[in-house]
Amino acid sequence: MSPSFTTRVLHLTTGTRETVTDLTRSCEDFLSEVAAARDGLLNLFVPHATAGLAVLETGSGSDSDLLATLHHLLPADDRWQHRHGTPGHGRDHVLPAFLPPHATLPVVGGGLALGTWQSVCLVDTNKDNPERQVRLSFLG
């Protein structure tokens, strides 16, 4: 693998509740190992049909607000054509249209160039599949 491109897969257990999982520290740890103070791009990709990525403030209630908003926009009820799994699971398959399974973030001097209150998060509303992967790829 070229030193200008490096990739790694994070393995996460999100549990049986809807979650917003902050990945910022994992991204920073990855970059500290591979970016060597270089500028570039960090790409994140979630290879799942029922999870997405978001950049938002965490710890101040925004993560709970996001989940509440998703409940409002995508109720977990029987309206969905996709019907296997727990009741309302079909909405989990619509989630990536609102929160895409990918994000590309700037890296400056080997570190994430996020705003003061920004964090990169995995959003997982699928209670049926607690095992998740996130691929981190640095291009520098």
Side-chain angles (χ1 to χ4, degrees):
M1 177 116 6
S2 165
S4 63
F5 181 81
T6 307
T7 191
R8 176 173 302 150
V9 176
L10 300 176
H11 297 272
L12 305 166
T13 301
T14 56
T16 57
R17 295 180 317 135
E18 298 176 358
T19 61
V20 176
T21 304
D22 191 338
L23 303 174
T24 309
R25 172 61 61 199
S26 295
C27 292
E28 290 170 341
D29 291 346
F30 171 68
L31 290 172
S32 71
E33 294 176 33
V34 303
R38 292 178 290 161
D39 294 349
L41 296 172
L42 175 66
N43 181 264
L44 294 90
F45 179 72
V46 179
H48 301 286
T50 58
L53 295 165
V55 176
L56 73 156
E57 179 180 5
T58 58
S60 64
S62 297
D63 33 359
S64 297
D65 289 342
L66 174 60
L67 291 175
T69 299
L70 290 172
H71 271 283
H72 179 73
L73 292 172
L74 306 170
D77 58 23
D78 65 354
R79 74 182 69 201
W80 307 100
Q81 307 239 348
H82 187 110
R83 293 186 186 266
H84 79 273
T86 57
H89 175 66
R91 67 125 183 187
D92 300 328
H93 287 273
V94 177
L95 174 78
F98 292 88
L99 297 171
H102 57 86
T104 301
L105 305 170
V107 176
V108 177
L112 279 176
L114 293 173
T116 301
W117 302 111
Q118 290 181 315
S119 297
V120 58
C121 300
L122 172 69
V123 180
D124 186 3
T125 59
N126 182 356
K127 301 177 218 176
D128 296 339
N129 183 6
E131 302 302 320
R132 297 300 186 174
Q133 296 178 3
V134 180
R135 178 173 295 280
L136 305 178
S137 300
F138 174 69
L139 177 62

